[in-house]
Amino acid sequence: MNLSILFSAQYRKIARDGLWDNNVVLTQNLALCPLLAVTGTATNGLGMGLATMVVMVASNAAVSVSRHLIPSEIRIPIFVLLIAALVTLVDIFLNAWMHELHKVLGLFIPLIVTNCVILGRAEAFASKQPVMPSMWDGLMMGVGFTGAMVVLGAMREISSTGTLFANASVLLGESFRFLETVLIPEYKGFLLMALPPGGFIMLGFMVALKRLLDRRIAVKPAPLVEAAVEVVDEDAVAVE
């Protein structure tokens, strides 16, 4: 594969959509059930996000490869079956190799099947595009979703317990022990942030911040446009 293709306009647009413009959480406000349920810590958010990302990349690839073989009348049930098969494989893998994380995430791993983002990308993008752009779309959407989950989990964990990536070595393996950090020693904690209402509050701050940044970005080029218009007007007057 020629890696330079990743810098083409098409792939850059896909990346921007997945990471920011069309972010699963911050823009589309989808997958909020697992988002709010498992992001009590950054570690849980990372584990759930990575599992969802793997399913999203694999499902986009499977749908794209088989897009010419699936009758359009029954494409949705077949997409769901493909996603369910991939989620089952991920569930088995986590249960076998990351059992502690599997116990924490629990029911929310099988519920990845019902994540409308995965089915939506399969229907809207992968069923109409070649394999590589489809996999790239799944990867970028997955990274954007994982990033939102980790940031939300980190904000809740820091405010509730004063730690960051607590128990990462237990849930994800010894290789992740370096992530475990105590940011506020002897912190007494803030229970609200560990509960679902805390998730809603922090998510509201994240969505508001993104919209504020989008507005700032949209307004920023305005002075340049006005300056260009003034120059054109002056030239027109000079010609007259």
Side-chain angles (χ1 to χ4, degrees):
M1 174 185 174
N2 186 4
L3 294 180
S4 62
I5 195 175
L6 298 179
F7 298 97
S8 65
Q10 177 191 14
Y11 281 77
R12 283 189 282 111
K13 184 180 185 305
I14 292 173
R16 184 181 176 88
D17 282 345
L19 297 176
W20 186 259
D21 290 344
N22 202 25
N23 185 276
V24 172
V25 174
L26 303 179
T27 302
Q28 301 183 62
N29 298 133
L30 298 175
L32 297 186
C33 178
L35 179 81
L36 297 172
V38 305
T39 54
T41 67
T43 304
N44 295 350
L46 178 62
M48 187 68 183
L50 291 176
T52 304
M53 181 175 66
V54 169
V55 173
M56 198 174 295
V57 173
S59 64
N60 271 16
V63 169
S64 179
V65 168
S66 58
R67 67 187 186 280
H68 298 303
L69 304 175
I70 301 174
S72 60
E73 297 80 5
I74 59 172
R75 66 187 187 281
I76 299 300
I78 291 178
F79 292 167
V80 173
L81 286 174
L82 286 173
I83 295 169
L86 293 168
V87 170
T88 301
L89 293 176
V90 170
D91 187 36
I92 293 172
F93 173 84
L94 289 176
N95 195 15
W97 299 99
M98 297 180 176
H99 186 63
E100 295 300 322
L101 179 63
H102 184 272
K103 289 195 298 184
V104 171
L105 299 181
L107 178 64
F108 294 99
I109 299 174
L111 284 179
I112 293 175
V113 177
T114 64
N115 192 328
C116 54
V117 177
I118 301 175
L119 181 60
R121 297 315 297 173
E123 166 65 12
F125 193 91
S127 63
K128 303 176 179 66
Q129 298 292 335
V131 176
M132 290 310 302
S134 298
M135 293 181 65
W136 183 248
D137 176 77
L139 179 62
M140 291 298 102
M141 285 289 172
V143 170
F145 178 63
T146 303
M149 294 197 73
V150 171
V151 171
L152 180 59
M155 292 170 62
R156 294 178 65 187
E157 182 179 357
I158 292 171
S159 57
S160 63
T161 63
T163 62
L164 186 61
F165 289 103
N167 300 320
S169 60
V170 176
L171 300 179
L172 301 175
E174 284 297 323
S175 57
F176 289 87
R177 181 177 293 277
F178 73 96
L179 294 175
E180 298 178 0
T181 308
V182 178
L183 297 178
I184 310 176
E186 300 181 4
Y187 181 58
K188 297 186 181 300
F190 185 22
L191 180 59
L192 176 64
M193 291 297 106
L195 299 175
F200 278 105
I201 293 171
M202 288 300 186
L203 177 61
F205 281 125
M206 289 174 61
V207 172
L209 178 60
K210 181 187 183 298
R211 293 184 179 181
L212 179 62
L213 292 174
D214 284 339
R215 289 182 182 179
R216 292 285 180 88
I217 293 171
V219 171
K220 191 175 181 180
L224 297 177
V225 175
E226 292 175 359
V229 171
E230 290 177 359
V231 171
V232 172
D233 291 342
E234 291 175 359
D235 292 342
V237 171
V239 170
E240 292 177 356

